[in-house]
Amino acid sequence: MEANQAETAIALREIQSVVEDDIKEFYHHFRAAVRVEHGLLNLILRYVLRQKGKRVRPLLVLLAAKTCGGINERSYRAAALVELLHTATLVHDDVVDESEKRRGSFSINALWGNKVAVLLGDYFLSRGLLLALEHDDFDMLRVLSNAVQRMSEGELRQVQRTRNLDVDIDSYYRIISDKTASLLAACTHCGALSANTDATSIEHMCEFGEQLGLAFQIRDDLFDYGSGGIGKPVGTDLQKKLVTLPLIHALNVTNSTERRRILKIIRRGKGTRQNRKVILDFVETTGGLAYAQERMEYHVKKAQTLLENFPDSDARRAMHALSQYVIARKK
């Protein structure tokens, strides 16, 4: 397992090397966008900037821009805008989920409380808005505002469905398209916009991000069933009564008696080790894991096919490799 983790880490570094200098320039723009000189906010921001994330989303922006013609000043701003938005959502998510850790470090709400965390998320959102407005990047602001709306709608739709354990495959796809794929689509969309490419290329690049986002979320859902590595703790989604693609498929193909039995266990909300094992075994034996794996690979293949609309380049090959990384990652 450790060897596999090392391999995926090396793969990501190789992908990043294609835009290594541009990533450094992005960091400069991101830090400048949130810089303040004093007070509690400065202390918290320094803590946030020290966190070492993969920065997949700004990487997507830069690779999309380079694939579509070239990286410029607007591309760096687009990457900073995306990271501001993404960081805001992570901070708010930790409050909603009552999470005490983020990427192995204490979350903002764990250290400074929910009120400060919510306000910090709001601060990141406002800085993103101002950054776009200060440079008249109205096209990118429109794309990202649409992504925020979709993300919010997707999360609310998931809350509603979870309460009733009423999620079919169509509903599931609508939820993950909005709450996850929308932001990755916004990354590639803004990257293409910054390169001043043609409308058809922008459309292809946006759809690449959407398909990649669907695969990304299905990979996350597979982690909950212990599939392929050391992601989040097994059974986390089940404890929250989140019905994801592996379980949806399993419930669809089983008989009515078994379906009622499994749903009864989930409704009780008793996340004992024995109950989790019952559900995990049920999903595996009914082909739920295999089905989700197949769908994940389908979306990645569809994303890779879209890349064929662009001239061959180091950046295009890096985007292809990034799509493979998304489904091979271990967390």
Side-chain angles (χ1 to χ4, degrees):
M1 183 179 294
E2 290 180 359
N4 289 337
Q5 285 179 258
E7 289 173 5
T8 55
I10 291 170
L12 184 59
R13 287 199 296 271
E14 289 175 349
I15 295 166
Q16 292 168 333
S17 69
V18 175
V19 286
E20 185 174 2
D21 292 338
D22 299 299
I23 290 174
K24 292 176 183 177
E25 187 64 23
F26 146 72
Y27 277 126
H28 172 75
H29 281 72
F30 181 67
R31 291 190 181 98
V34 298
R35 183 178 295 128
V36 292
E37 298 300 327
H38 56 81
L40 175 62
L41 181 57
N42 182 52
L43 174 66
I44 300 172
L45 289 174
R46 284 192 284 114
Y47 179 79
V48 171
L49 291 171
R50 285 200 302 268
Q51 307 307 306
K52 295 189 180 296
K54 299 184 185 73
R55 310 291 191 191
V56 169
R57 289 153 189 84
L59 175 61
L60 260 178
V61 174
L62 296 172
L63 287 175
K66 194 165 187 176
T67 300
C68 288
I71 294 171
N72 54 45
E73 193 69 16
R74 282 221 325 148
S75 307
Y76 299 130
R77 288 202 302 274
L81 280 168
V82 164
E83 191 64 6
L84 286 165
L85 168 59
H86 180 54
T87 305
T89 62
L90 293 182
V91 173
H92 284 164
D93 283 349
D94 285 342
V95 174
V96 172
D97 296 337
E98 300 180 342
S99 300
E100 294 187 352
K101 288 292 186 74
R102 165 68 60 182
R103 295 167 181 158
S105 300
F106 286 108
S107 61
I108 301 300
N109 50 296
L111 291 174
W112 284 282
N114 288 342
K115 183 175 182 179
V116 169
V118 170
L119 292 172
L120 180 69
D122 293 345
Y123 175 78
F124 279 120
L125 286 172
S126 67
R127 288 306 305 153
L129 291 172
L130 287 172
L131 180 62
L133 292 173
E134 286 166 2
H135 296 89
D136 295 336
D137 292 323
F138 301 116
D139 51 353
M140 293 192 294
L141 181 58
R142 183 177 295 107
V143 169
L144 288 169
S145 296
N146 181 63
V148 172
Q149 177 180 321
R150 288 181 62 192
M151 291 164 68
S152 301
E153 290 175 348
E155 292 286 358
L156 289 169
R157 193 173 291 113
Q158 179 171 273
V159 169
Q160 179 184 9
R161 294 283 183 174
T162 299
R163 286 175 177 172
N164 301 323
L165 290 182
D166 175 27
V167 182
D168 54 32
I169 288 182
D170 288 343
S171 298
Y172 166 83
Y173 264 107
R174 185 175 180 186
I175 288 169
I176 71 168
S177 175
D178 284 342
K179 79 167 195 171
T180 302
S182 62
L183 183 54
L184 295 194
C187 292
T188 51
H189 193 167
C190 286
L193 281 173
S194 72
N196 296 316
T197 190
D198 60 277
T200 301
S201 295
I202 291 172
E203 183 179 345
H204 288 320
M205 194 55 76
C206 181
E207 183 60 21
F208 170 88
E210 181 80 17
Q211 294 298 321
L212 190 67
L214 295 175
F216 187 99
Q217 184 58 57
I218 295 173
R219 185 74 189 98
D220 260 9
D221 294 342
L222 282 166
F223 282 142
D224 203 54
Y225 293 88
S227 177
I230 58 158
K232 60 192 178 184
V234 174
T236 298
D237 285 344
L238 293 175
Q239 290 178 338
K240 297 176 182 177
K241 301 182 182 180
L242 294 180
V243 181
T244 57
L245 189 58
L247 181 55
I248 292 171
H249 177 77
L251 291 170
N252 282 346
V253 299
T254 195
N255 59 65
S256 58
T257 301
E258 185 70 352
R259 177 185 174 89
R260 285 194 298 270
R261 183 178 77 93
I262 295 298
L263 287 175
K264 186 176 182 180
I265 292 173
I266 299 173
R267 284 194 181 97
R268 285 175 178 170
K270 295 181 179 179
T272 64
R273 181 177 298 179
Q274 182 179 353
N275 283 344
R276 288 200 299 273
K277 187 176 186 308
V278 168
I279 297 173
L280 296 177
D281 289 346
F282 165 73
V283 169
E284 184 170 9
T285 57
T286 51
L289 297 182
Y291 175 79
Q293 180 81 23
E294 177 188 321
R295 297 306 300 169
M296 177 180 70
E297 292 172 357
Y298 165 80
H299 291 297
V300 164
K301 186 66 176 176
K302 195 169 181 179
Q304 292 170 345
T305 299
L306 286 160
L307 289 177
E308 295 173 5
N309 293 289
F310 299 90
D312 183 41
S313 65
D314 288 344
R316 195 189 84 168
R317 290 192 293 273
M319 294 193 77
H320 189 282
L322 185 60
S323 68
Q324 287 298 127
Y325 165 80
V326 160
I327 62 174
R329 64 196 170 93
K330 302 302 176 183
K331 57 182 177 178

